[in-house]
Amino acid sequence: MTTIAVLGAGKIGEALLSGLLSGGRRPEELMFTERYEERAAELTKQYGVRAVDVPTAAAEAEVLVVAVKPQDIDPVLDELAPVVSDRNLIVSLCAGLPTGLYERKLPDSVPVVRVMPNTPMVVGKAMSVISAGKHARAQHLELVEELLSSVGEVVRVPEAQQDAVTALSGSGPAYFFYLVEAMIDAGILLGIPRNVAEKLIIQSAVGAAAMMAETGTHPVILREAVTSPAGTTIMAIRELERHGVRAALLAAIEAARDRSQELGKAHEA
Ligand SMILES: NC(=O)c1ccc[n+]([C@@H]2O[C@H](COP(=O)([O-])OP(=O)(O)OC[C@H]3O[C@@H](n4cnc5c(N)ncnc54)[C@H](OP(=O)(O)O)[C@@H]3O)[C@@H](O)[C@H]2O)c1
């Protein structure tokens, strides 16, 4: 049995607790830390998981999942430093924080695994991308993969690729929301009532996502299958190309990667 403590049970922390319980972990194997008593009581009532302080979490849990906002990390590291050891595994869900930050602030040889999750974790459909820090071994990565697979898919990359990952899957859901929003506007333009347009576009998005995920067929093949000669879809595609949508996506994702690198510099030694 691996005991897991979630440090900071906000949206992502709660989603992880909930996913771990749905995946078969027992409430006794889980605990969390939280600043506000009211919020802590609410979570304990809902999930049957206990709220603890950081020293208790470090003493009783092998895995410490850090799920506070990146700007709140300093007090958490100050609390962890005197109480963690190499029998703990730190799993950081904090966007942009390098494993080196933890390695500098925590005692020598504490293993750290960095994760870039994304918000679909709240519905059990996260894309979590993990990287090993200096002291993390194969068994640590395997354990993190097992934990996060209860809330979605998991992929490993070298830590140097985490800024690109942040731009792709970290921010990725926002690009799809943006696209859906624009397509709903198009429905309004064509005189379709908003609630109907929303239903048509959201279900089309869900259907298209399921086809890609479940059939394993490449998106190009799926698109070609609905693009008939001189048909309606190719007329729309011509306009997307004319307006540079593909180039805009390449530039947008590159800009997000650059911003992630810039934010990360604040935490370099
Ligand atoms: N790729 C993505 O889209 C993505 C998505 C989500 C999250 N993330 C990462 O996941 C992490 C959590 O994000 P979130 O959206 O879940 O944020 P959130 O809802 O603000 O959750 C953070 C939680 O930590 C608590 N907290 C802060 N300092 C604490 C401390 N010293 N001790 C105990 N609890 C403390 C906060 O309490 P208060 O309410 O009192 O502040 C809050 O409940 C972030 O680091 C973020 O970068 C990435």
Side-chain angles (χ1 to χ4, degrees):
M1 178 175 108
T2 310
T3 308
I4 302 148
V6 174
L7 312 183
K11 290 182 286 297
I12 288 288
E14 178 179 354
L16 183 60
L17 285 173
S18 163
L20 290 168
L21 290 166
S22 318
R25 300 249 161 199
R26 287 174 295 121
E28 312 83 82
E29 297 170 59
L30 305 174
M31 61 190 86
F32 66 93
T33 68
E34 183 47 51
R35 277 201 289 215
Y36 291 110
E37 267 179 39
E38 213 172 289
R39 165 89 179 143
E42 202 180 284
L43 289 170
T44 299
K45 190 166 166 221
Q46 187 168 353
Y47 299 104
V49 173
R50 69 192 161 115
V52 295
D53 57 16
V54 170
T56 309
E60 295 187 20
E62 288 87 13
V63 181
L64 302 171
V65 182
V66 183
V68 300
K69 290 277 191 205
Q71 62 268 27
D72 290 330
I73 192 64
D74 287 334
V76 176
L77 289 172
D78 291 343
E79 277 194 278
L80 281 172
V83 293
V84 284
S85 71
D86 59 5
R87 63 167 284 282
N88 299 113
L89 166 64
I90 306 285
V91 179
S92 170
L93 302 185
C94 303
L97 299 188
T99 53
L101 172 73
Y102 293 86
E103 287 157 0
R104 279 198 309 279
K105 299 271 174 94
L106 300 179
D108 260 358
S109 74
V110 174
V112 182
V113 172
R114 172 175 170 182
V115 182
M116 186 66 216
N118 66 11
T119 53
M121 189 183 280
V122 300
V123 290
K125 302 268 186 208
M127 182 66 252
S128 300
V129 185
I130 68 172
S131 304
K134 206 162 59 175
H135 308 298
R137 304 279 164 257
Q139 72 267 24
H140 298 125
L141 286 169
E142 280 158 24
L143 177 57
V144 174
E145 272 170 348
E146 190 232 307
L147 296 182
L148 293 172
S149 60
S150 64
V151 286
E153 298 284 326
V154 189
V155 161
R156 292 183 194 188
V157 300
E159 189 169 7
Q161 290 176 7
Q162 282 283 5
D163 290 310
V165 163
T166 301
L168 282 169
S169 56
S171 302
Y175 315 145
F176 288 108
F177 298 142
Y178 178 88
L179 201 61
V180 164
E181 187 194 322
M183 289 170 77
I184 291 169
D185 273 350
I188 305 297
L189 180 72
L190 302 186
I192 303 290
R194 181 168 290 278
N195 61 335
V196 177
E198 279 175 13
K199 172 123 184 129
L200 300 188
I201 299 305
I202 293 170
Q203 181 57 20
S204 298
V206 170
M211 280 178 84
M212 288 187 283
E214 287 167 27
T215 67
T217 308
H218 194 282
V220 169
I221 307 289
L222 293 171
R223 184 185 54 74
E224 283 177 353
V226 287
T227 311
S228 44
T232 56
T233 308
I234 193 63
M235 298 305 157
I237 301 283
R238 180 177 63 181
E239 290 305 312
L240 292 171
E241 294 296 349
R242 185 179 278 161
H243 289 87
V245 172
R246 185 183 298 263
L249 281 168
L250 296 178
I253 292 173
E254 196 175 34
R257 190 276 319 268
D258 292 349
R259 180 63 179 148
S260 176
Q261 281 175 342
E262 207 175 282
L263 292 172
K265 287 208 174 85
H267 300 287
E268 277 170 10

